[in-house]
Amino acid sequence: MKRRSNDFVLGAVILGAIVLIVGVSMFLRESEIGSKRQRVVARFSDVGQVQVGNAVVIRGVKAGRVEAIELGDDGWVLVRLNLEKSVELPRSPVVLLGASSLFGEWQAMVTERQSVPNNREVAAALTASATGAGTALPGAVLPDVAQLTTVAGGIAGDVASVAQRFQVAFNDSAARELRSSIRSVAQLSAELARTVRVQSKHLDTVSVDVRAGAADLSQAAEAFLRTVSRIDSATSAGEVRTIVSESERAAGQVREASVRLNQITQSLEKTESHLRGVMARADSVLLKVDQGQGTLGLLVNDPRLYQNTDSLLRELRALLADVKKQPKRYFGVKIF
Amino acid sequence: MIELIGRSFREALEGLGSAGRMCLEAGRSARDVRTWAPLATDQMRRLGVGSLPIGVLIAAFTGIVLALLASYSFTNSVPRYLVGTLVQKTVMMELAPVLTGLALAGRVGANIAAELGTMRVTEQVDALETLAYDPIAYLVVPRILAGLLMFPIVVGVAMMVGLGAGWLASMGLLDLSSAQFLKGARLFFDDFDVRYGLVKAASFGVAVTAVGCACGLEARGGAEGVGAAATKAVVTSAVLILVLDAFWAVVWLLGRAV
């Protein structure tokens, strides 16, 4: 009796545990026993991170699960999708595999060919997959976050490399040189501004001068006109002839003055030649003096002679003073 | 100090050796079905069904704590539904098998070691041999078989209870909807999670019962020897559970990850 009780309890526990485990597992897998399903096969060159059990969605609504993934011919991968019987596939359907969140979960999306994101690689993969696919739907893998982050990482690396190179090139000395260049450019621009200001002032002056010149020209023209009018009036009075005769006389006087000037010039040339000779002789004398030749040369170049002369002069002054003081001592006037 | 280390190492090796020898002898004696079959059901009920309450209790509290811990750990950048993922994965693959195994190592291992140790010191085992009973087939095989079959049952129930407790805790304490928790639990669920936990539990069952039997049959010197055998059985079983846990992770999980 006890053994039968043991067997019953044990059997009940084992059966209950198995039912519980299998039931919970099926519940978590969302398995449906006896429901009508349809199966669709899609062909891919690569399935990314998709696994058996991942969701299949149509227009964002879950419509089934990935049932199997297996290698096909010619390097293709065949993915069998288990869809609900009532689901209608879109026209010209394609299957896109992609991440459904940032946490590694993937899904298969059944969509129309026209709704595929505008991506060159995806379009090429779909075209290749559709060629010779038979009843299998063409499929492609959308670029996932990892690929995007890899590309972004590469870009960031390039930027870092450029920044590093810029940092190497733009060191302290480069910064100093750049600052110096900026300062020079500022000075140059200030100089240019100053020059422009000066030149504009000059231009103002020139324009004023030009204006004054134009006024003078205007006045001269008026004077010329007046002269012309006078000439015109003088012509009629016989004054021109007088002027011409006076002009002839003046020209004769100018010619005489020119002859006299010519004579004066010739006389000046002679004087100049004399002067040159005098200068040459004076130069030779000065040369001799400088070389210490002759008395003057000795006087100039020998300090002792100067000192002797000086002392002689001093003695002469003393003698003259003494003669003035005691003339009788030196002079005796005798008449007889 | 060095002597202590050497002695501990030798005793550990002896324990492993005796357990291995016990398993080999149990394998040989398993052919004697008529001896162990009538006893197997009783042992399975005692070791398995009797251990369900403790397994369920541990799993329930583990599921609740895990849900709270996950909610506490996840910041705003992590979706709340991942609480379900964490509870499902952790309970099914690690905590339910290991914690239940450790609890059963204390309950079942100590029980077997004390029972067989008492039989040894009171010469009941010798009496069995005298009566032409194979003590291994009579005492060890039913217990190891009970451990092999019933540990996965207990751990399987613990898995589901732990998951359910985490689910209820998420809804009741964390303001997480049932749909959110289930979405997270289903997100990365794989049949492998259940298989992995149950296979680990079966290996723990064999280890705990084999060590308990080995320690019990080697008990010497009366009540003190029986106590020492029970203590040794619990400690060795607990260490073996952790070692086996790491073994399965390396052999099975690492292989799948690669």
Side-chain angles (χ1 to χ4, degrees):
Chain A
M1 185 67 186
K2 185 186 176 189
R3 179 176 293 176
R4 288 188 62 185
S5 171
N6 280 345
D7 291 347
F8 178 78
V9 171
L10 185 63
V13 168
I14 290 173
L15 199 63
I18 289 172
V19 167
L20 182 65
I21 293 168
V22 172
V24 171
S25 298
M26 289 180 66
F27 176 69
L28 291 176
R29 286 193 61 184
E30 297 177 273
S31 302
E32 294 177 21
I33 299 170
S35 64
K36 293 181 179 178
R37 314 290 291 181
Q38 59 173 321
R39 285 178 173 76
V40 174
V41 176
R43 196 166 79 143
F44 300 88
S45 59
D46 173 32
V47 293
Q49 304 295 318
V50 163
Q51 294 179 344
V52 172
N54 282 139
V56 179
V57 295
I58 297 176
R59 292 189 290 277
V61 179
K62 188 176 176 186
R65 303 181 73 86
V66 175
E67 190 177 66
I69 301 172
E70 53 198 31
L71 292 174
D73 296 332
D74 301 326
W76 293 101
V77 181
L78 300 175
V79 175
R80 193 163 65 241
L81 310 177
N82 188 337
L83 303 175
E84 293 172 14
K85 188 75 176 174
S86 58
V87 168
E88 289 186 11
L89 295 178
R91 288 181 301 174
S92 61
V94 296
V95 181
L96 301 176
L97 304 179
S100 60
S101 76
L102 292 173
F103 299 95
E105 45 189 317
W106 278 52
Q107 64 182 10
M109 289 174 285
V110 182
T111 183
E112 291 183 31
R113 181 69 183 261
Q114 289 77 15
S115 305
V116 173
N118 187 16
N119 185 298
R120 193 172 52 192
E121 294 178 1
V122 172
L126 286 174
T127 304
S129 175
T131 307
T135 58
L137 301 181
V141 179
L142 294 174
D144 68 339
V145 175
Q147 288 174 302
L148 294 176
T149 51
T150 302
V151 173
I155 293 170
D158 293 342
V159 170
S161 174
V162 170
Q164 193 176 5
R165 288 177 189 170
F166 180 77
Q167 194 175 7
V168 169
F170 194 78
N171 51 17
D172 288 346
S173 65
R176 277 197 299 275
E177 288 173 5
L178 184 63
R179 274 198 296 273
S180 172
S181 301
I182 291 169
R183 212 175 294 128
S184 301
V185 168
Q187 288 174 352
L188 185 63
S189 60
E191 196 72 29
L192 277 172
R194 195 162 54 244
T195 305
V196 166
R197 276 199 302 274
V198 170
Q199 291 303 322
S200 64
K201 281 180 184 174
H202 288 169
L203 277 174
D204 289 344
T205 308
V206 167
S207 62
V208 168
D209 292 344
V210 167
R211 210 175 296 127
D216 291 345
L217 278 174
S218 177
Q219 288 176 357
E222 287 175 2
F224 181 72
L225 283 174
R226 281 197 300 274
T227 304
V228 167
S229 62
R230 279 180 194 166
I231 287 169
D232 188 39
S233 61
T235 307
S236 59
E239 290 178 357
V240 173
R241 197 172 298 155
T242 309
I243 291 167
V244 169
S245 63
E246 286 180 356
S247 298
E248 284 176 350
R249 203 181 310 130
Q253 289 173 354
V254 167
R255 271 199 297 277
E256 287 174 8
S258 172
V259 169
R260 284 179 193 166
L261 190 62
N262 196 17
Q263 289 172 350
I264 291 167
T265 305
Q266 287 174 355
S267 138
L268 275 174
E269 285 176 353
K270 287 178 185 171
T271 307
E272 186 189 2
S273 65
H274 286 307
L275 195 60
R276 272 205 197 109
V278 171
M279 289 297 287
R281 283 194 289 276
D283 191 41
S284 68
V285 169
L286 286 172
L287 185 63
K288 286 177 181 173
V289 169
D290 191 40
Q291 289 173 348
Q293 297 175 359
T295 307
L296 195 56
L298 288 171
L299 187 63
V300 169
N301 293 311
D302 192 355
R304 286 178 303 173
L305 190 58
Y306 168 76
Q307 289 167 357
N308 291 338
T309 308
D310 189 54
S311 64
L312 178 63
L313 285 172
R314 249 183 273 122
E315 286 173 0
L316 279 173
R317 274 195 210 103
L319 180 61
L320 282 172
D322 194 38
V323 167
K324 285 179 183 174
K325 197 182 280 180
Q326 299 173 355
K328 292 179 180 175
R329 186 175 174 184
Y330 299 98
F331 303 105
V333 181
K334 291 178 180 177
I335 300 174
F336 298 105
Chain B
M1 181 69 181
I2 295 172
E3 186 184 348
L4 180 67
I5 293 171
R7 189 169 60 244
S8 302
F9 185 69
R10 179 178 53 79
E11 287 174 357
L13 283 180
E14 283 175 359
L16 284 175
S18 62
R21 192 167 58 247
M22 178 72 63
C23 287
L24 286 175
E25 291 178 7
R28 274 200 299 271
S29 301
R31 287 175 294 186
D32 189 5
V33 180
R34 279 188 298 181
T35 302
W36 61 258
L39 302 168
T41 310
D42 186 48
Q43 290 298 328
M44 288 165 79
R45 181 175 177 181
R46 284 176 57 199
L47 301 186
V49 179
S51 300
L52 271 177
I54 184 73
V56 167
L57 190 70
I58 289 172
F61 282 102
T62 303
I64 293 169
V65 171
L66 261 182
L68 297 175
L69 191 65
S71 175
Y72 168 76
S73 302
F74 292 168
T75 58
N76 290 333
S77 58
V78 181
R80 299 284 308 277
Y81 63 80
L82 286 180
V83 170
T85 306
L86 185 87
V87 171
Q88 180 264 313
K89 286 285 179 191
T90 315
V91 165
M92 285 192 170
M93 298 184 73
E94 186 62 25
L95 290 184
V98 172
L99 292 182
T100 308
L102 288 172
L104 296 194
R107 184 183 181 276
V108 173
N111 180 285
I112 292 173
E115 187 178 357
L116 296 192
T118 304
M119 290 178 73
R120 169 62 77 185
V121 297
T122 55
E123 299 179 348
Q124 294 180 52
V125 177
D126 299 333
L128 282 173
E129 289 175 347
T130 306
L131 293 171
Y133 274 96
D134 179 6
I136 299 298
Y138 191 81
L139 298 175
V140 176
V141 173
R143 286 171 173 80
I144 291 180
L145 198 63
L148 176 69
L149 295 177
M150 292 311 291
F151 264 56
I153 296 293
V154 176
V155 168
V157 172
M159 285 178 186
M160 304 312 149
V161 170
L163 187 64
W167 186 4
L168 292 174
S170 300
M171 288 190 296
L173 303 175
L174 300 178
D175 197 22
L176 196 70
S177 71
S178 174
Q180 280 181 306
F181 183 88
L182 287 178
K183 179 187 177 184
R186 285 169 170 163
L187 194 61
F188 294 103
F189 174 75
D190 193 348
D191 294 342
F192 168 78
D193 302 347
V194 179
R195 288 200 306 273
Y196 179 76
L198 295 183
V199 169
K200 275 205 309 189
S203 69
F204 295 166
V206 171
V208 168
T209 49
V211 168
C213 290
C215 292
L217 290 178
E218 287 176 358
R220 298 286 184 274
E224 189 181 353
V226 172
T231 305
K232 187 179 175 186
V234 172
V235 172
T236 310
S237 300
V239 172
L240 260 181
I241 283 172
L242 298 178
V243 170
L244 281 170
D245 187 40
F247 168 79
W248 285 117
V250 170
V251 169
W252 215 352
L253 283 186
L254 203 61
R256 279 178 70 89
V258 172

